[in-house]
Amino acid sequence: MKIAIFGFGAVGRGVAKVLMDRERMSRVLGDYSVVAVADSRGSMVSDSVDLRKALEFKEKTGRLPEGMSVEEIIENVDFDVALELTPTNIETGEPGLTHIKKCLEKGAHVVTSNKGPLVVAYRELERLARKKGVRLMFEATVGGAMPVIKLIRRNLAGNRIESIKGILNGTCNYILSRMEREKLSYRQILAEAKELGIAEANESYDVEGIDSAAKLVILANAVMGMDVKFEDVEVNGITEITPEAFEIALEKGYTIRLIAEVSESELKVGPRLVSLNNPLCVHGTLNAMLIQTDLAGEVFVIGRGAGSVETASAVISDLADIRACSDDL
Amino acid sequence: MKIAIFGFGAVGRGVAKVLMDRERMSRVLGDYSVVAVADSRGSMVSDSVDLRKALEFKEKTGRLPEGMSVEEIIENVDFDVALELTPTNIETGEPGLTHIKKCLEKGAHVVTSNKGPLVVAYRELERLARKKGVRLMFEATVGGAMPVIKLIRRNLAGNRIESIKGILNGTCNYILSRMEREKLSYRQILAEAKELGIAEANESYDVEGIDSAAKLVILANAVMGMDVKFEDVEVNGITEITPEAFEIALEKGYTIRLIAEVSESELKVGPRLVSLNNPLCVHGTLNAMLIQTDLAGEVFVIGRGAGSVETASAVISDLADIRACSDDL
């Protein structure tokens, strides 16, 4: 299996680190080599890229060495699977959208952690992959290391998915669970979360519910057979929640969580009261998801929604799935 | 895909009912037909067995019509996948063990809900399947509709599984969660559970921890790469737990659950104190499982551990997996 890695941020570097454990990874991927690694400013291309060198170069200089662009690599380098791990832009989907299209057109499988292209053009990409007889996998886009997409598609194959309800953003959950326990204001906890690197400098993408809504769009389209856009989601964030709201909720045995929910009649993200006994009441940066099905009943899962190596785990599971179901790899 | 069903108890009938929804099932299984259905006393064999008739006959008479035995079907009927759904015997593994061996020898894939053959001879069966180039799938043996085996093998592919800790027996969990809430004695709740059909007439298999231990052996061998036998499990049941024990536990914020746990150094089933805040503290007949991994961190799952249609869901997911990864089906 010849692998090209596009994007060398936290996820790309996490994947590279995991792929360096060749003995372990070859048990699930068979023979493999990384034939290209690229970020927005440079790349390394060879029959077998030295991942340790790539990581060292990136760490020292903040970029990869000058070389072919991603587009040039897609045109000129032979690979079986592209890992599209560039940053998310949910408005244009770029640059991931163009990368994914060109890779699928070329007949390469694609594994992505990039929500943007899927939010913008899931149906189109899915049709293109089917037409070309290749796989488009995106476990890492929703829930990080928490099994979600393949859990529903494979482990619950044959079930009708009636609804999904979940906590899909670890930053919000971290802020809310600290507000619950420490009775501090949203602003105070947010400031601390930024210091700890749990919230980004520009936090709005997370705390306004945009990230959760993007993930919900992916779930709705990919595992519930819907055809919805980001604009179809009713979105509310957590910025207006007060310590007093928590006090009142806790008195009655509830807490507050940012819940994303999809069913035939609903597609929304917003703060909800959650019973303290409800397994959805997870703490810290964890993600959680309740899947209502007709045969299996309720299936509930909790996992780490973010993190470099955790997200790499999801990417590797997609690669392993492609390999398990492709005779030619 | 030509399917033979061996065993027509609750699980076999659940699978038959689900397979009757041809439109839905063909989306995950492709073209399929059931070419044989057999129980211990009879069978129906044809190019496409009328499942409705089979279910009606079984309901009226308690058996299938006189016909070929399972062994005769394996020898004489052409099928791609056998569903081995006969009752569990964890001492001999029979009759499932012989059925599975003969099917694998013949070059057919096997999907089973029968713990016995796997507890007695997992390594042997796994080697045989590999040698013959066919699949041996057994999602339904552990956790019912709760994703377990494929969750670990596929969704967590590439991870090292450090430990698994779970509630794998719904009958015990039902009894313990009622003892927790109602302060009644073990004997009282057991009697009621029997009336409700949640506990069997001979309850010892469940309440003495034997069923949980059998499932733990399957997990240890199949997803943790161990090679252990039933005798290697340290097993304690729930029969000695008193209402007073619950009282003391609850005062300190704990409850009692029957926990099965496996790691490199441990393989045991027994009652444990579980914090009321721990997601493992599930109620009723639910199953739950905490998987500790090195890349994905902790992954936690809850689901329905038993039930006819629920277990059928697990069987169907195995069939779908075989189909997704086999070019010839």
Side-chain angles (χ1 to χ4, degrees):
Chain A
M1 182 192 285
K2 290 179 189 168
I3 301 168
I5 302 177
F6 303 141
F8 212 49
V11 178
R13 296 200 300 279
V15 171
K17 280 173 200 158
V18 172
L19 287 176
M20 282 167 62
D21 187 345
R22 187 162 286 281
E23 193 194 324
R24 193 206 304 200
M25 285 302 131
S26 59
R27 282 200 293 272
V28 290
L29 303 181
D31 273 345
Y32 68 90
S33 56
V34 175
V35 296
V37 183
D39 64 9
S40 58
R41 296 167 66 196
S43 65
M44 289 170 70
V45 175
S46 86
D47 287 348
S48 178
V49 174
D50 185 334
L51 293 171
R52 185 178 305 276
K53 271 194 190 154
L55 287 164
E56 279 170 11
F57 195 98
K58 179 88 178 186
E59 199 176 323
K60 273 189 202 141
T61 65
R63 52 167 293 177
L64 287 169
E66 225 160 291
M68 280 197 252
S69 69
V70 171
E71 272 84 353
E72 286 167 340
I73 292 171
I74 297 174
E75 256 176 56
N76 298 301
V77 177
D78 177 39
F79 55 84
D80 303 302
V81 191
L83 309 187
E84 215 298 324
L85 313 174
T86 65
T88 288
N89 176 326
I90 61 159
E91 274 154 36
T92 65
E94 297 298 354
L97 183 54
T98 300
H99 296 167
I100 293 178
K101 276 190 201 168
K102 290 194 171 171
C103 290
L104 296 175
E105 284 286 2
K106 176 189 163 112
H109 305 286
V110 173
V111 174
T112 187
S113 62
N114 186 342
K115 292 178 282 293
L118 300 175
V119 170
V120 171
Y122 175 72
R123 286 275 159 247
E124 181 189 348
L125 295 174
E126 198 258 329
R127 270 194 298 267
L128 180 57
R130 197 177 309 175
K131 186 179 136 199
K132 293 290 178 177
V134 292
R135 310 275 301 279
L136 170 63
M137 307 286 285
F138 44 91
E139 184 67 56
T141 59
V142 184
M146 177 172 80
V148 178
I149 307 291
K150 291 194 296 297
L151 181 85
I152 296 173
R153 289 188 160 178
R154 292 201 169 276
N155 308 55
L156 299 172
N159 278 269
R160 187 169 50 232
I161 308 302
E162 294 167 352
S163 66
I164 299 173
K165 196 170 175 172
I167 292 171
L168 302 179
N169 184 280
T171 304
C172 288
N173 207 64
Y174 174 84
I175 294 172
L176 294 177
S177 37
R178 282 197 59 191
M179 285 180 76
E180 168 194 325
R181 289 193 171 166
E182 300 169 35
K183 328 268 182 243
L184 298 172
S185 77
Y186 166 75
R187 290 279 146 216
Q188 270 175 289
I189 310 266
L190 174 65
E192 288 188 35
K194 282 187 183 183
E195 272 174 36
L196 291 167
I198 290 172
E200 297 188 26
N202 175 0
E203 75 276 6
S204 62
Y205 185 69
D206 289 321
V207 298
E208 287 171 10
I210 300 168
D211 175 69
S212 296
K215 290 166 178 168
L216 197 63
V217 167
I218 294 174
L219 285 177
N221 290 333
V223 301
M224 295 194 61
M226 297 167 78
D227 189 5
V228 300
K229 293 190 180 61
F230 185 84
E231 297 74 47
D232 299 326
V233 189
E234 185 191 321
V235 189
N236 287 289
I238 63 166
T239 58
E240 307 294 321
I241 302 173
T242 61
E244 292 71 36
F246 271 103
E247 248 176 68
I248 297 167
L250 287 167
E251 266 172 31
K252 307 200 167 172
Y254 288 84
T255 184
I256 302 168
R257 290 291 183 269
L258 185 70
I259 302 290
E261 37 194 333
V262 52
S263 67
E264 245 179 54
S265 57
E266 276 186 334
L267 188 68
K268 57 188 184 187
V269 171
R272 300 278 177 272
L273 288 174
V274 175
S275 160
L276 293 168
N277 297 324
N278 189 319
L280 273 180
C281 171
V282 293
H283 292 89
T285 58
L286 286 174
N287 282 17
M289 194 173 64
L290 177 65
I291 308 151
Q292 185 69 48
T293 74
D294 67 335
L295 304 177
E298 316 83 27
V299 173
F300 181 81
V301 64
I302 301 177
R304 294 194 189 165
S308 165
V309 170
E310 288 85 349
T311 308
S313 168
V315 170
I316 296 297
S317 76
D318 279 350
L319 274 174
D321 195 274
I322 289 175
R323 194 239 173 179
C325 301
S326 302
D327 266 3
D328 53 336
L329 291 177
Chain B
M1 182 191 285
K2 290 179 189 166
I3 301 168
I5 301 177
F6 303 141
F8 212 49
V11 178
R13 295 200 301 278
V15 171
K17 280 172 200 157
V18 172
L19 287 176
M20 282 167 61
D21 187 347
R22 188 161 284 283
E23 193 194 324
R24 192 206 305 199
M25 285 302 131
S26 59
R27 283 202 292 273
V28 291
L29 303 181
D31 273 343
Y32 68 90
S33 55
V34 175
V35 296
V37 183
D39 65 8
S40 58
R41 296 168 65 197
S43 66
M44 288 169 71
V45 175
S46 86
D47 286 349
S48 177
V49 173
D50 185 334
L51 293 172
R52 185 178 306 276
K53 272 196 191 155
L55 287 164
E56 279 170 11
F57 195 98
K58 179 86 177 186
E59 200 176 319
K60 273 189 204 144
T61 65
R63 52 167 292 176
L64 287 168
E66 225 159 291
M68 279 196 254
S69 69
V70 171
E71 272 83 355
E72 286 167 342
I73 292 171
I74 297 174
E75 255 176 55
N76 299 300
V77 177
D78 178 38
F79 55 85
D80 302 302
V81 190
L83 310 186
E84 215 298 323
L85 314 173
T86 65
T88 288
N89 177 326
I90 62 160
E91 274 155 36
T92 65
E94 297 299 353
L97 183 54
T98 300
H99 297 168
I100 293 177
K101 276 190 199 167
K102 290 194 171 172
C103 290
L104 296 175
E105 284 285 1
K106 176 189 163 111
H109 306 287
V110 173
V111 174
T112 187
S113 62
N114 186 343
K115 292 179 283 293
L118 300 174
V119 170
V120 171
Y122 175 72
R123 286 274 158 246
E124 181 189 349
L125 295 175
E126 197 259 328
R127 269 194 299 266
L128 180 57
R130 196 178 309 176
K131 186 179 138 199
K132 293 290 176 174
V134 292
R135 311 275 300 280
L136 170 62
M137 307 286 285
F138 44 91
E139 185 67 57
T141 58
V142 185
M146 177 172 80
V148 178
I149 307 290
K150 291 195 295 297
L151 181 86
I152 296 174
R153 289 188 161 179
R154 292 202 170 276
N155 309 55
L156 298 172
N159 278 269
R160 186 169 50 231
I161 308 301
E162 293 167 352
S163 66
I164 299 173
K165 196 168 173 172
I167 291 171
L168 302 178
N169 184 280
T171 304
C172 288
N173 207 64
Y174 175 85
I175 294 172
L176 294 177
S177 36
R178 282 198 59 191
M179 286 180 76
E180 168 195 326
R181 289 192 172 167
E182 300 170 33
K183 328 266 181 247
L184 297 173
S185 76
Y186 167 75
R187 290 278 147 216
Q188 269 175 290
I189 310 267
L190 174 65
E192 289 187 34
K194 283 187 183 183
E195 271 173 37
L196 291 166
I198 290 171
E200 297 188 28
N202 176 1
E203 75 275 7
S204 62
Y205 185 68
D206 288 321
V207 299
E208 286 170 12
I210 301 168
D211 175 69
S212 296
K215 291 165 176 167
L216 197 64
V217 167
I218 295 174
L219 285 176
N221 290 333
V223 301
M224 296 195 60
M226 297 166 77
D227 189 4
V228 300
K229 294 190 181 61
F230 185 85
E231 297 74 45
D232 298 327
V233 189
E234 184 190 320
V235 189
N236 287 289
I238 63 166
T239 58
E240 306 294 322
I241 302 173
T242 61
E244 292 70 38
F246 272 103
E247 248 177 69
I248 296 167
L250 287 167
E251 265 171 33
K252 306 200 165 169
Y254 288 84
T255 184
I256 302 168
R257 290 291 183 268
L258 185 70
I259 301 291
E261 38 195 332
V262 52
S263 67
E264 244 179 56
S265 56
E266 275 186 335
L267 188 69
K268 58 188 183 187
V269 171
R272 301 277 177 272
L273 288 174
V274 174
S275 160
L276 292 168
N277 297 324
N278 189 319
L280 273 180
C281 172
V282 293
H283 292 90
T285 58
L286 287 173
N287 282 18
M289 194 173 65
L290 177 65
I291 308 151
Q292 185 69 46
T293 73
D294 66 336
L295 304 177
E298 316 83 28
V299 173
F300 181 80
V301 64
I302 301 177
R304 294 196 189 163
S308 166
V309 170
E310 289 84 350
T311 309
S313 168
V315 170
I316 296 296
S317 77
D318 279 351
L319 273 175
D321 195 273
I322 289 174
R323 193 237 173 180
C325 301
S326 303
D327 267 2
D328 53 337
L329 290 178

